[in-house]
Amino acid sequence: MTLVPVVVCLVSVAGNGAGLLFAIAGALAALVGVELGRRLVLGVGVAGLFASVLIVGVAGYDPAFVAVAGIAALLTWDIADHAISIARQLGTGPDRRRLLLAHSAGSVIVAVGALAVVLVGFSVTPRDLPLLAVVLLLAGLLALVPALRIGR
Amino acid sequence: MTGQREMLSDAAEESAFEEDVETEQRIEPFISPVIGAIGSLLVGVGFVVVWKPSLVGTSTEYLAVYAISVVAIIAGIWYSYRRTFASVSESTPPTVEARSTTSVPGSTFDRLLRGPFPSQGDRIKARRRVSKRLRQATIDVLDSTSTDRDASSIEAALSAGTWTDDPMAGDFFAEEATERTLRDRIENVRLGRPNLFVLSVERVVGELADRYLPDRATDWYNSPETSANTRRRSTFGTVRSTGRWRGLGAIALLAIGLGAGLGKPGLLLVAGPLLLVVGYAAMDVEPPQSITIERTVEPTDPDPGERVQVRVDVHNDSGRWVPDLRIVDGVPAGMTVADGSPRHGTVLRPGASTWFEYSVQAERGTHTFESAYTITRNLSGSIERTFRTATEGDRAITYRLQPDFEATFPLRQQASSHVGRVLTDVGGSGLEFHSVREYRSGDPLSRIDWNRAAQGQGLATLQFREERSATVVLLLDTRAAAYVAPDEEAPSAVDRTVQAAADVFRALLNSDDRVGMAALSPRGCWLPPGAGHVHWARAEALFAKDPAFSTQPPTQAFHPHVRLPKLRKRLPSDAQIVMFSPLCDDESSSIARQLQAHGYPMTVISPDPTSDGTVGQTVGRIERKLRLSTLRKADARVVDWQPAERLALAFDRAQRRWSR
């Protein structure tokens, strides 16, 4: 299950050498982390994926791809962490798949929805934005992060 | 006593699961309202400016953008740094599959030897206890293996280090230890041996085992160390935030900072959906709690060792979706899961039901299920609720007793005045010839020695050995220290004791003896000697259900100076005692010797629960063998009953060395 977002993330950043390097290392660590049931290893892997996202972003890669890669890295963490949680509390077994599927479906729908909203918003925005608008948007986002205690 | 204390601490750990505090933990709201409102306002105004750029002038400085970027990057780094020290918080359900109520004899010794020690002082104390216990065992072994040695020469050999050829083992008790060379020490470190003390103890125990346990098979030098006791703080009865979304904000901040500072729209686009997803997780509702569970057990009265099928039906009463439901059924401690899993995870629609099945197994006794440990989560997994669901349906399993109706038991000679089957040395009526005496008027004609009369030597009466019944009291050691087994899977000494006691009880009733029983336990149990079917029914009920014979060790301490006088008052004066005990602590052997000294002929049936997998376990085995030997010297009959051996065979083996 974790493989899908990992692959999506890899494909999205494939155009940049350094980014791909980080992404491959991160992807491997994440997969090993899931296999071992170790959150620390998974965390390092997902951090690697996010690092690759930031790298390709800084490199000026196509914004849509960067956003997709970011969401894929997020889903990697979400699904893999959930799988580890199930394995820890219930052990592994075929009947655990239902739980993982339900959770993953919820997350994927929300994540893809969020991505779509942002991408559509981005595509309809005029290119010559007044600077103040950008500043306000950024300041707003900046304030939102600490406000969302859960993600801090 | 140490063994008992160890058992108690283990038992306390088991019951910690029961005593979880049911507190509702307050969750901090996921969204801070004031900052959230300001942020939303700014975003809103930003959008307005996007659509109507004419509303503002274009003179705004680039400076603001850079300032925001720097703040965002600093905050992002700060949050990332904090995230690296946080972990996801979730409850750990109990390991119900095989909660063992027993320990292996000698595990205290292993713990004293290898730690963990809270402080240096504890380490020194532990070493002192190890040395003392080992010294006593060595003296006893030397005393019983060599005939010519007396106490003072043994002491001398110990302090001179000459009791063994192994210099390292010899040095252990020696007053002047030979200096270890640096090379030796380096060699120890290279081999990964813990340290010199542990190594010396291993050598001493190895030496003792070679002398006293000739059939030792395992080599514990290479065996893995026994697992350390980990005490987990149980977090039950709580609603908690799992914290699995932590750190996303940090990444969003870094993306905003870098994106704004370098003018890369792609990075700003990453931050948007990330924040939206976190927002979704923050708004997610608390998971519901209304789950009902019904358990069906088939059969509820199985034969000894039989598997029991358990079916658990789960129903969602909450009227809401339960997106993530995890259940760990409360399998009784002392039962092992034989097939399937008592854990189940599923998604339940409002009003929907599901079920799962598994099977459990035990040797004997009554086992009561606990209510199921339930965990629900919301869809995003941001909140986890842990609670215990009251469970309807079957709660208990009681194993039937199946005594061996063919069994016989070799009794000692002391008998009562009732007719029975124990051959006495008293002349009278019976079958086996005893003696001839002068005729007294009133002697039955059939017993007159007519051959002698025919030879003209006058009348004489034949005497036969009288057959009488015995009064037997079975004494079952079910103190906490008796809940021991060679490994966690094996039936405990108490399990074997109860089964064997039922066999012996039945056998003695069959041979017309009067049988009673008593438990050596803080929970106490007494059945006065008696005979007949009703008596058996009473005993059977006690064996199966009395708390003194429970599969759970008692938590209170046993006080022999209170219990023993009480027992002696109840014992009939002509009773003989059959004591069942693993003899894994000094208290048990001292009780046996005291009763024997009070004139009750004693037979001790000792199920062997020892193992020799580790140094401590080997010490445990040596010490138990020494206790058996002490009891034999005190004129008690001892049956050393090996695991997986039939009791009748053990009697047979033991009888060969009994003189009477």
Side-chain angles (χ1 to χ4, degrees):
Chain A
M1 287 285 294
T2 323
L3 210 58
V4 180
V6 169
V7 170
V8 172
C9 188
L10 280 180
V11 170
S12 312
V13 299
N16 182 290
L20 188 63
L21 208 68
F22 266 88
I24 288 174
L28 284 180
L31 292 178
V32 168
V34 178
E35 203 53 47
L36 298 179
R38 299 283 293 270
R39 282 212 170 91
L40 192 65
V41 183
L42 171 68
V44 170
V46 171
L49 289 181
F50 274 121
S52 76
V53 172
L54 293 183
I55 289 170
V56 296
V58 169
Y61 211 55
D62 185 340
F65 277 104
V66 180
V68 169
I71 279 297
L74 167 72
L75 286 177
T76 306
W77 163 259
D78 180 57
I79 295 172
D81 172 72
H82 199 253
I84 290 177
S85 152
I86 292 174
R88 285 207 170 170
Q89 292 184 336
L90 300 178
T92 47
D95 58 325
R96 317 287 184 252
R97 212 154 279 165
R98 215 174 131 86
L99 267 186
L100 191 58
L101 269 176
H103 175 84
S104 309
S107 297
V108 168
I109 289 170
V110 171
V112 171
L115 189 64
V117 167
V118 171
L119 284 182
V120 168
F122 179 68
S123 62
V124 299
T125 320
R127 294 292 116 173
D128 52 343
L129 273 182
L131 202 54
L132 180 63
V134 179
V135 170
L136 284 173
L137 275 176
L138 292 179
L141 288 177
L142 195 62
L144 272 179
V145 174
L148 288 170
R149 287 205 179 103
I150 189 177
R152 204 150 82 174
Chain B
M1 276 308 281
T2 47
Q4 186 175 354
R5 221 170 283 142
E6 173 195 335
M7 288 301 308
L8 287 182
S9 70
D10 285 354
E13 199 167 323
E14 283 295 333
S15 63
F17 174 44
E18 297 281 301
E19 293 161 8
D20 293 321
V21 208
E22 292 200 33
T23 47
E24 190 92 348
Q25 178 188 315
R26 250 182 71 84
I27 307 182
E28 206 183 351
F30 288 151
I31 305 173
S32 153
V34 181
I35 313 180
I38 297 173
S40 310
L41 192 68
L42 288 176
V43 172
V45 177
F47 274 117
V48 172
V49 179
V50 168
W51 291 112
K52 293 256 185 238
S54 54
L55 283 180
V56 290
T58 51
S59 62
T60 326
E61 302 91 338
Y62 277 90
L63 207 63
V65 176
Y66 288 117
I68 288 172
S69 136
V70 169
V71 170
I73 290 176
I74 292 173
I77 291 172
W78 166 242
Y79 284 146
S80 317
Y81 169 74
R82 284 209 325 196
R83 172 63 180 88
T84 50
F85 295 104
S87 59
V88 173
S89 140
E90 63 184 6
S91 67
T92 310
T95 319
V96 294
E97 279 80 358
R99 271 183 290 165
S100 176
T101 54
T102 61
S103 68
V104 184
S107 38
T108 330
F109 191 92
D110 278 327
R111 213 170 296 163
L112 284 175
L113 190 60
R114 295 183 197 274
F117 308 104
S119 72
Q120 225 16 260
D122 289 311
R123 178 191 292 269
I124 293 168
K125 266 185 228 157
R127 286 195 168 184
R128 217 171 281 155
R129 281 174 66 191
V130 165
S131 306
K132 205 174 154 196
R133 204 164 147 188
L134 208 52
R135 188 184 176 90
Q136 190 55 50
T138 313
I139 291 175
D140 290 347
V141 167
L142 291 180
D143 191 33
S144 64
T145 47
S146 49
T147 45
D148 53 330
R149 278 183 162 149
D150 58 67
S152 59
S153 73
I154 289 174
E155 289 282 347
L158 280 187
S159 38
T162 53
W163 62 277
T164 162
D165 299 333
D166 183 346
M168 203 167 189
D171 277 353
F172 189 75
F173 303 112
E175 274 151 16
E176 286 172 23
T178 28
E179 202 52 49
R180 315 293 321 168
T181 60
L182 186 65
R183 207 169 139 259
D184 277 357
R185 288 175 187 268
I186 293 172
E187 184 73 352
N188 279 339
V189 175
R190 194 180 66 81
L191 289 176
R193 296 267 167 77
N195 58 41
L196 206 59
F197 180 79
V198 175
L199 195 56
S200 312
V201 170
E202 283 180 357
R203 289 287 189 88
V204 172
V205 176
E207 184 67 26
L208 293 183
D210 287 343
R211 286 174 187 229
Y212 205 61
L213 303 173
D215 49 350
R216 186 165 72 98
T218 358
D219 177 15
W220 30 251
Y221 286 118
N222 300 320
S223 69
E225 284 186 29
T226 41
S227 60
N229 251 355
T230 45
R231 210 172 268 262
R232 275 217 187 94
R233 180 85 191 88
S234 183
T235 44
F236 158 70
T238 53
V239 180
R240 66 157 94 198
S241 123
T242 55
R244 59 196 300 275
W245 297 102
R246 286 189 79 161
L248 272 181
I251 290 162
L253 281 177
L254 284 175
I256 292 171
L258 290 172
L262 304 171
K264 305 289 181 191
L267 285 175
L268 295 180
L269 275 193
V270 170
L274 288 188
L275 289 178
L276 282 177
V277 171
V278 179
Y280 141 77
M283 312 241 259
D284 208 354
V285 289
E286 273 188 25
Q289 195 176 359
S290 312
I291 306 291
T292 47
I293 291 178
E294 190 178 351
R295 193 188 293 112
T296 322
V297 176
E298 176 64 35
T300 49
D301 55 342
D303 292 334
E306 192 188 341
R307 279 188 186 185
V308 179
Q309 196 70 25
V310 183
R311 179 191 155 120
V312 181
D313 285 282
V314 188
H315 188 73
N316 175 11
D317 293 334
S318 66
R320 277 167 54 195
W321 276 83
V322 183
D324 192 331
L325 171 65
R326 307 171 186 192
I327 291 175
V328 180
D329 198 14
V331 178
M335 293 199 93
T336 45
V337 175
D339 193 25
S341 168
R343 293 161 188 257
H344 189 71
T346 191
V347 183
L348 277 185
R349 284 196 317 276
S353 303
T354 181
W355 59 274
F356 62 99
E357 252 183 336
Y358 62 96
S359 62
V360 288
Q361 200 172 11
E363 274 307 307
R364 57 150 204 110
T366 302
H367 304 265
T368 313
F369 280 90
E370 292 156 8
S371 33
Y373 190 94
T374 314
I375 302 164
T376 51
R377 283 185 170 201
N378 54 12
L379 189 59
S380 67
S382 59
I383 305 178
E384 179 183 276
R385 186 194 276 279
T386 318
F387 55 97
R388 221 181 248 291
T389 320
T391 314
E392 290 160 18
D394 301 325
R395 284 191 61 84
I397 296 174
T398 304
Y399 275 87
R400 274 195 297 243
L401 269 184
Q402 275 191 331
D404 183 359
F405 283 89
E406 303 298 314
T408 56
F409 179 74
L411 276 173
R412 304 198 68 157
Q413 267 193 339
Q414 180 154 316
S416 66
S417 51
H418 301 278
V419 175
R421 296 189 198 173
V422 179
L423 279 181
T424 61
D425 282 336
V426 182
S429 60
L431 287 173
E432 195 179 315
F433 177 73
H434 179 260
S435 57
V436 182
R437 65 162 166 77
E438 207 173 288
Y439 174 79
R440 288 178 210 146
S441 65
D443 281 346
L445 282 182
S446 60
R447 280 174 48 199
I448 291 174
D449 189 352
W450 292 112
N451 291 336
R452 201 181 165 101
Q455 286 166 12
Q457 292 179 16
L459 285 179
T461 305
L462 288 174
Q463 290 200 107
F464 299 92
R465 291 176 68 177
E466 281 202 352
E467 290 177 1
R468 296 197 184 154
S469 75
T471 304
V472 186
V473 173
L474 309 183
L475 191 57
L476 284 77
D477 180 4
T478 58
R479 297 166 307 129
Y483 284 80
V484 280
D487 56 74
E488 293 197 341
E489 308 277 299
S492 75
V494 172
D495 288 344
R496 295 172 67 199
T497 286
V498 172
Q499 193 60 46
D503 284 352
V504 170
F505 199 101
R506 188 67 236 183
L508 291 173
L509 279 186
N510 283 353
S511 58
D512 300 333
D513 295 307
R514 297 166 58 78
V515 206
M517 67 172 163
L520 272 186
S521 159
R523 297 185 278 215
C525 167
W526 167 252
L527 180 67
H533 286 298
V534 179
H535 194 60
W536 168 243
R538 231 178 269 146
E540 201 176 15
L542 287 180
F543 279 131
K545 287 187 180 160
D546 195 88
F549 307 129
S550 156
T551 48
Q552 305 289 317
T555 46
Q556 313 95 307
F558 178 77
H559 300 292
H561 51 278
V562 180
R563 294 274 170 180
L564 273 193
K566 212 164 153 187
L567 176 68
R568 281 217 314 278
K569 251 182 233 167
R570 285 168 164 174
L571 284 176
S573 58
D574 57 355
Q576 48 174 296
I577 295 178
V578 179
M579 178 166 163
F580 296 82
S581 170
L583 294 176
C584 281
D585 62 338
D586 289 330
E587 200 174 73
S588 51
S589 63
S590 126
I591 290 171
R593 272 179 303 162
Q594 280 181 47
L595 288 172
Q596 166 86 14
H598 276 285
Y600 300 104
M602 173 70 74
T603 306
V604 180
I605 298 176
S606 179
D608 183 2
T610 60
S611 159
D612 56 7
T614 67
V615 185
Q617 290 168 8
T618 312
V619 172
R621 174 168 284 186
I622 293 174
E623 286 175 341
R624 175 174 171 276
K625 258 198 124 178
L626 287 167
R627 276 182 215 114
L628 293 186
S629 134
T630 316
L631 278 181
R632 285 190 184 115
K633 278 183 205 153
D635 201 27
R637 281 178 169 183
V638 178
V639 182
D640 185 7
W641 181 23
Q642 298 303 312
E645 188 184 29
R646 281 176 54 103
L647 190 55
L649 285 179
F651 286 152
D652 212 39
R653 211 160 35 77
Q655 260 173 309
R656 274 182 237 143
R657 53 196 294 178
W658 294 346
S659 49
R660 60 206 160 84

